Amino acid sequence: MTDLDQGAMTASADTDVPMVLADGVSKSFGSNEVLKGISLQVKRGEVLCLVGPSGSGKSTFLRCINHLEQVSSGRLAVDGRLVGYRESGDKLYELHPKEAAKQRRDIGMVFQRFNLFPHMTALENVMEAPMLVKGVPKAKAKARALELLARVGLAERADYYPAHLSGGQQQRVAIARALAMDPKLMLFDEPTSALDPELVGEVLDVMKGLAKSGMTMIVVTHEMGFAREVADTLVFMDAGVVVEAGDPREVLANPQHERTKAFLSKVL
């Protein structure tokens, strides 16, 4: 039995098991190797911010964490359980899509694009997954959805359809929708990239509140102020590798690698 398998049996009770453990994760699309042996871990209740230039592999890594992309080699575990695979002997076998989907219930993800159902109101978008996937009664799902929409500042837009919401409002609905499943881990892929400048702070405030409440989060972002204030660890990626990682205040104030210095000089 591997360490990851042992962790699967005790994850819920053993707070020493990392919420996310990546061990030599690589991902290729044809001959293009996007991730080149990523190894890192995120403890329960921690916030990790991933920064780096476009094409560095940040979003691909997020998608591997919830098995929206299959890793080419290496291993990923969430809460002590292999993501998307089971292990027998020395071999990994991909889970049936239904089993992989069950794992995703505990992992919330907010994409760059909002991906809301256009034929549903904001309220219905937030209610849908808890009712359909978890069997939450409609009244309970509605009450929770209204609470979450209020939390992201959209209580008065509950009955609006996505077409009648701004991009920023749609993104906040998407965050509420992810939270409605009560995930143990939240993944954010540039959550403020589509927002008008005056709305960025509102979304970041919601994320700060999540961090304070103990939510484990991995955030791909260019919001360095947010990373400095909220993150426990800042990871700088470039060309599919982790170039530098550490306390965000230290990395931002005193980067050790020339590539990190060059990147930060353009974004700070």
Side-chain angles (χ1 to χ4, degrees):
M1 181 178 293
T2 68
D3 291 340
L4 289 177
D5 289 329
Q6 289 174 340
M9 296 190 300
T10 59
S12 61
D14 187 354
T15 56
D16 292 333
V17 175
M19 182 59 75
V20 178
L21 179 61
D23 181 14
V25 172
S26 296
K27 173 63 180 177
S28 296
F29 295 96
S31 61
N32 182 22
E33 191 177 15
V34 178
L35 299 177
K36 305 171 183 176
I38 301 293
S39 294
L40 56 80
Q41 65 175 302
V42 184
K43 295 180 181 178
R44 297 168 190 277
E46 285 191 342
V47 178
L48 182 144
C49 282
L50 286 170
V51 302
S54 297
S56 59
K58 307 181 302 295
S59 296
T60 298
F61 181 63
L62 279 195
R63 292 174 65 86
C64 287
I65 291 174
N66 63 2
H67 203 56
L68 289 177
E69 296 288 356
Q70 300 176 354
V71 300
S72 300
S73 62
R75 299 181 182 193
L76 263 171
V78 171
D79 200 15
R81 299 178 184 274
L82 281 172
V83 173
Y85 296 89
R86 62 178 177 84
E87 187 166 23
S88 179
D90 294 329
K91 294 184 178 180
L92 295 180
Y93 298 90
E94 189 170 7
L95 294 179
H96 187 278
K98 288 185 177 180
E99 292 298 313
K102 287 182 180 179
Q103 287 187 324
R104 289 194 196 101
R105 295 180 187 179
D106 293 329
I107 305 173
M109 187 162 183
V110 178
F111 298 88
Q112 291 174 320
R113 297 296 177 183
F114 321 122
N115 298 323
L116 299 178
F117 295 116
H119 62 288
M120 294 183 179
T121 64
L123 178 63
E124 290 166 341
N125 265 281
V126 179
M127 292 172 59
E128 179 72 3
M131 291 193 302
L132 184 65
V133 178
K134 297 176 107 177
V136 176
K138 184 176 181 179
K140 185 176 180 180
K142 181 178 181 179
R144 175 64 170 156
L146 289 171
E147 173 190 330
L148 289 169
L149 287 172
R151 187 173 183 179
V152 299
L154 291 174
E156 297 180 356
R157 297 290 190 271
D159 294 327
Y160 282 52
Y161 288 91
H164 299 117
L165 297 172
S166 71
Q169 290 169 337
Q170 290 185 61
Q171 184 65 300
R172 284 184 278 159
V173 174
I175 292 174
R177 180 180 60 180
L179 292 174
M181 290 293 285
D182 295 317
K184 63 177 69 171
L185 169 67
M186 282 287 288
L187 308 176
F188 292 89
D189 189 1
E190 291 284 7
T192 60
S193 63
L195 300 184
D196 296 330
E198 65 268 24
L199 298 177
V200 169
E202 297 176 11
V203 173
L204 294 181
D205 284 344
V206 171
M207 295 171 64
K208 290 174 186 177
L210 285 176
K212 289 179 181 178
S213 72
M215 175 65 74
T216 310
M217 300 161 57
I218 301 179
V219 184
V220 173
T221 186
H222 288 297
E223 300 288 343
M224 298 302 166
F226 172 83
R228 182 185 293 108
E229 179 181 350
V230 179
D232 297 286
T233 303
L234 181 69
V235 172
F236 172 65
M237 288 180 61
D238 187 35
V241 302
V242 173
V243 176
E244 188 165 351
D247 181 282
R249 290 157 290 279
E250 288 293 324
V251 174
L252 293 173
N254 188 29
Q256 299 300 301
H257 294 265
E258 290 301 321
R259 184 65 188 92
T260 316
K261 293 177 183 178
F263 174 77
L264 292 177
S265 70
K266 296 177 181 179
V267 298
L268 291 178

